[in-house]
Amino acid sequence: KLLPPSLPVDGGLSICAYSWTPGFVNEKTDEQMPGSFIVATRQSTLIIIGGDGVIRHACTTESPITSLQVLSGALATFHANNLLNIWMVEEEALPGEFTGSLLDPPAMEDSASEGGPHILFRLGKSADVGEQVDRVVRHRKDTEPPSNIVQFEAGPSFDFAILVTTSGDVWRAELSEELTKDKEPAEGEEEEEEAEAVVENIEFPLQWLRWFHTRLITAVCVVREGICASADEGGMVRIWEALGEPTCETSYPAIVMPS
């Protein structure tokens, strides 16, 4: 069934990243519920669209999101300055329908409903990976402009992720269970509901893997465990190993799509 457009065609919004949430079973009704479609726009807006096409929530971020990935109980977002944010998600706070304006939605950390007590997104952890990315780019060419992470694709078991930058570099990152867990209070500390939330700064080591596309990579996916595929704007698709040694080798199987 083809649903009508969820976003206004003339609303001036340009989608730059998206991800899907998995379906789930409603514990109260035992009904199988569809997942949601999460999109980020160049206007620094994050929008959640239900499986029925209805906009469930919209909010703004401090800086544009360049890529995002749904994790277990959390949402990972990369921003234009190569800052990784891990947002803890309280699914019960997701409204049935968004009634505000897409031109002026609330901040991401605000309540999910007007006057409501529940926060849908809470920033739990943050990591700056800019230095790791820039080091590789500068090593290759001093005059090359800064590179931003524009794709973040988790593997089928959510134990690793493949990342792609604007300079065409492909990276691998390990996704541990600790990444989406809240920091445990220190011994002797009492957890206060009114206490101000503290964002934990973490390390997010990246392993450089590949640099073999001659044009901008437009898509990357994990085909099966350890095997990935990537495509660039020139119509070339490459199949490669995500567990192999770092290389600039261009002899991986390639498919060139006719223009």
Side-chain angles (χ1 to χ4, degrees), residues 240-253:
W240 44 275
E241 293 178 325
L243 303 176
E245 293 295 323
T247 180
C248 292
E249 178 61 56
T250 59
S251 61
Y252 288 101

PDB file of all heavy atoms in Angstrom, residues 240-253:
ATOM      1  N   TRP A 240      33.721  -6.386  -0.644  1.00  0.00           N
ATOM      2  CA  TRP A 240      34.994  -6.477   0.052  1.00  0.00           C
ATOM      3  C   TRP A 240      34.827  -7.042   1.464  1.00  0.00           C
ATOM      4  O   TRP A 240      33.718  -7.147   1.980  1.00  0.00           O
ATOM      5  CB  TRP A 240      35.673  -5.110   0.095  1.00  0.00           C
ATOM      6  CG  TRP A 240      34.765  -3.967   0.452  1.00  0.00           C
ATOM      7  CD1 TRP A 240      33.957  -3.259  -0.407  1.00  0.00           C
ATOM      8  CD2 TRP A 240      34.531  -3.429   1.751  1.00  0.00           C
ATOM      9  NE1 TRP A 240      33.258  -2.298   0.278  1.00  0.00           N
ATOM     10  CE2 TRP A 240      33.591  -2.374   1.605  1.00  0.00           C
ATOM     11  CE3 TRP A 240      35.043  -3.703   3.022  1.00  0.00           C
ATOM     12  CZ2 TRP A 240      33.142  -1.625   2.683  1.00  0.00           C
ATOM     13  CZ3 TRP A 240      34.603  -2.947   4.102  1.00  0.00           C
ATOM     14  CH2 TRP A 240      33.661  -1.927   3.915  1.00  0.00           C
ATOM     15  N   GLU A 241      35.970  -7.386   2.063  1.00  0.00           N
ATOM     16  CA  GLU A 241      35.988  -7.954   3.401  1.00  0.00           C
ATOM     17  C   GLU A 241      36.103  -6.854   4.449  1.00  0.00           C
ATOM     18  O   GLU A 241      36.929  -5.967   4.336  1.00  0.00           O
ATOM     19  CB  GLU A 241      37.176  -8.914   3.564  1.00  0.00           C
ATOM     20  CG  GLU A 241      37.079 -10.168   2.713  1.00  0.00           C
ATOM     21  CD  GLU A 241      38.306 -11.044   2.888  1.00  0.00           C
ATOM     22  OE1 GLU A 241      39.417 -10.501   3.056  1.00  0.00           O
ATOM     23  OE2 GLU A 241      38.131 -12.269   2.869  1.00  0.00           O
ATOM     24  N   ALA A 242      35.253  -6.949   5.471  1.00  0.00           N
ATOM     25  CA  ALA A 242      35.298  -5.964   6.550  1.00  0.00           C
ATOM     26  C   ALA A 242      36.269  -6.383   7.651  1.00  0.00           C
ATOM     27  O   ALA A 242      36.528  -5.618   8.577  1.00  0.00           O
ATOM     28  CB  ALA A 242      33.909  -5.777   7.146  1.00  0.00           C
ATOM     29  N   LEU A 243      36.797  -7.588   7.562  1.00  0.00           N
ATOM     30  CA  LEU A 243      37.688  -8.096   8.602  1.00  0.00           C
ATOM     31  C   LEU A 243      39.122  -8.221   8.121  1.00  0.00           C
ATOM     32  O   LEU A 243      39.985  -8.690   8.850  1.00  0.00           O
ATOM     33  CB  LEU A 243      37.196  -9.477   9.087  1.00  0.00           C
ATOM     34  CG  LEU A 243      35.765  -9.518   9.623  1.00  0.00           C
ATOM     35  CD1 LEU A 243      35.366 -10.941   9.974  1.00  0.00           C
ATOM     36  CD2 LEU A 243      35.630  -8.629  10.849  1.00  0.00           C
ATOM     37  N   GLY A 244      39.373  -7.828   6.877  1.00  0.00           N
ATOM     38  CA  GLY A 244      40.703  -7.994   6.316  1.00  0.00           C
ATOM     39  C   GLY A 244      41.680  -6.939   6.800  1.00  0.00           C
ATOM     40  O   GLY A 244      41.358  -6.057   7.596  1.00  0.00           O
ATOM     41  N   GLU A 245      42.898  -7.003   6.294  1.00  0.00           N
ATOM     42  CA  GLU A 245      43.930  -6.042   6.643  1.00  0.00           C
ATOM     43  C   GLU A 245      43.657  -4.708   5.939  1.00  0.00           C
ATOM     44  O   GLU A 245      43.155  -4.680   4.819  1.00  0.00           O
ATOM     45  CB  GLU A 245      45.305  -6.570   6.227  1.00  0.00           C
ATOM     46  CG  GLU A 245      45.761  -7.785   7.018  1.00  0.00           C
ATOM     47  CD  GLU A 245      45.975  -7.455   8.481  1.00  0.00           C
ATOM     48  OE1 GLU A 245      46.457  -6.346   8.780  1.00  0.00           O
ATOM     49  OE2 GLU A 245      45.633  -8.307   9.328  1.00  0.00           O
ATOM     50  N   PRO A 246      43.994  -3.586   6.594  1.00  0.00           N
ATOM     51  CA  PRO A 246      43.823  -2.275   5.956  1.00  0.00           C
ATOM     52  C   PRO A 246      44.592  -2.203   4.640  1.00  0.00           C
ATOM     53  O   PRO A 246      45.725  -2.658   4.546  1.00  0.00           O
ATOM     54  CB  PRO A 246      44.408  -1.309   6.993  1.00  0.00           C
ATOM     55  CG  PRO A 246      44.276  -2.035   8.297  1.00  0.00           C
ATOM     56  CD  PRO A 246      44.476  -3.481   7.973  1.00  0.00           C
ATOM     57  N   THR A 247      43.963  -1.649   3.611  1.00  0.00           N
ATOM     58  CA  THR A 247      44.598  -1.618   2.301  1.00  0.00           C
ATOM     59  C   THR A 247      43.954  -0.573   1.402  1.00  0.00           C
ATOM     60  O   THR A 247      42.823  -0.141   1.645  1.00  0.00           O
ATOM     61  CB  THR A 247      44.492  -2.995   1.619  1.00  0.00           C
ATOM     62  OG1 THR A 247      45.113  -2.951   0.344  1.00  0.00           O
ATOM     63  CG2 THR A 247      43.049  -3.391   1.422  1.00  0.00           C
ATOM     64  N   CYS A 248      44.685  -0.171   0.371  1.00  0.00           N
ATOM     65  CA  CYS A 248      44.136   0.668  -0.703  1.00  0.00           C
ATOM     66  C   CYS A 248      43.929  -0.180  -1.955  1.00  0.00           C
ATOM     67  O   CYS A 248      43.767   0.348  -3.055  1.00  0.00           O
ATOM     68  CB  CYS A 248      45.081   1.833  -1.009  1.00  0.00           C
ATOM     69  SG  CYS A 248      45.196   3.055   0.313  1.00  0.00           S
ATOM     70  N   GLU A 249      43.959  -1.492  -1.807  1.00  0.00           N
ATOM     71  CA  GLU A 249      43.833  -2.426  -2.918  1.00  0.00           C
ATOM     72  C   GLU A 249      42.542  -2.181  -3.682  1.00  0.00           C
ATOM     73  O   GLU A 249      41.472  -2.005  -3.089  1.00  0.00           O
ATOM     74  CB  GLU A 249      43.850  -3.865  -2.393  1.00  0.00           C
ATOM     75  CG  GLU A 249      43.677  -4.935  -3.454  1.00  0.00           C
ATOM     76  CD  GLU A 249      44.792  -4.894  -4.476  1.00  0.00           C
ATOM     77  OE1 GLU A 249      45.962  -4.987  -4.091  1.00  0.00           O
ATOM     78  OE2 GLU A 249      44.452  -4.734  -5.666  1.00  0.00           O
ATOM     79  N   THR A 250      42.634  -2.165  -5.008  1.00  0.00           N
ATOM     80  CA  THR A 250      41.454  -1.923  -5.845  1.00  0.00           C
ATOM     81  C   THR A 250      41.029  -3.161  -6.624  1.00  0.00           C
ATOM     82  O   THR A 250      40.247  -3.071  -7.553  1.00  0.00           O
ATOM     83  CB  THR A 250      41.732  -0.783  -6.850  1.00  0.00           C
ATOM     84  OG1 THR A 250      42.854  -1.158  -7.665  1.00  0.00           O
ATOM     85  CG2 THR A 250      42.030   0.507  -6.114  1.00  0.00           C
ATOM     86  N   SER A 251      41.588  -4.344  -6.261  1.00  0.00           N
ATOM     87  CA  SER A 251      41.307  -5.549  -7.034  1.00  0.00           C
ATOM     88  C   SER A 251      40.098  -6.321  -6.523  1.00  0.00           C
ATOM     89  O   SER A 251      39.837  -7.423  -6.985  1.00  0.00           O
ATOM     90  CB  SER A 251      42.535  -6.470  -7.013  1.00  0.00           C
ATOM     91  OG  SER A 251      42.854  -6.871  -5.696  1.00  0.00           O
ATOM     92  N   TYR A 252      39.355  -5.747  -5.557  1.00  0.00           N
ATOM     93  CA  TYR A 252      38.145  -6.424  -5.105  1.00  0.00           C
ATOM     94  C   TYR A 252      37.127  -6.471  -6.236  1.00  0.00           C
ATOM     95  O   TYR A 252      37.117  -5.611  -7.122  1.00  0.00           O
ATOM     96  CB  TYR A 252      37.556  -5.690  -3.899  1.00  0.00           C
ATOM     97  CG  TYR A 252      38.356  -5.850  -2.639  1.00  0.00           C
ATOM     98  CD1 TYR A 252      39.223  -4.843  -2.194  1.00  0.00           C
ATOM     99  CD2 TYR A 252      38.280  -7.021  -1.886  1.00  0.00           C
ATOM    100  CE1 TYR A 252      39.969  -4.997  -1.046  1.00  0.00           C
ATOM    101  CE2 TYR A 252      39.029  -7.169  -0.727  1.00  0.00           C
ATOM    102  CZ  TYR A 252      39.870  -6.176  -0.320  1.00  0.00           C
ATOM    103  OH  TYR A 252      40.608  -6.321   0.817  1.00  0.00           O
ATOM    104  N   PRO A 253      36.235  -7.500  -6.220  1.00  0.00           N
ATOM    105  CA  PRO A 253      35.216  -7.582  -7.278  1.00  0.00           C
ATOM    106  C   PRO A 253      34.443  -6.284  -7.415  1.00  0.00           C
ATOM    107  O   PRO A 253      34.014  -5.688  -6.423  1.00  0.00           O
ATOM    108  CB  PRO A 253      34.322  -8.724  -6.790  1.00  0.00           C
ATOM    109  CG  PRO A 253      35.201  -9.556  -5.915  1.00  0.00           C
ATOM    110  CD  PRO A 253      36.152  -8.600  -5.255  1.00  0.00           C
TER     111      PRO A 253
END
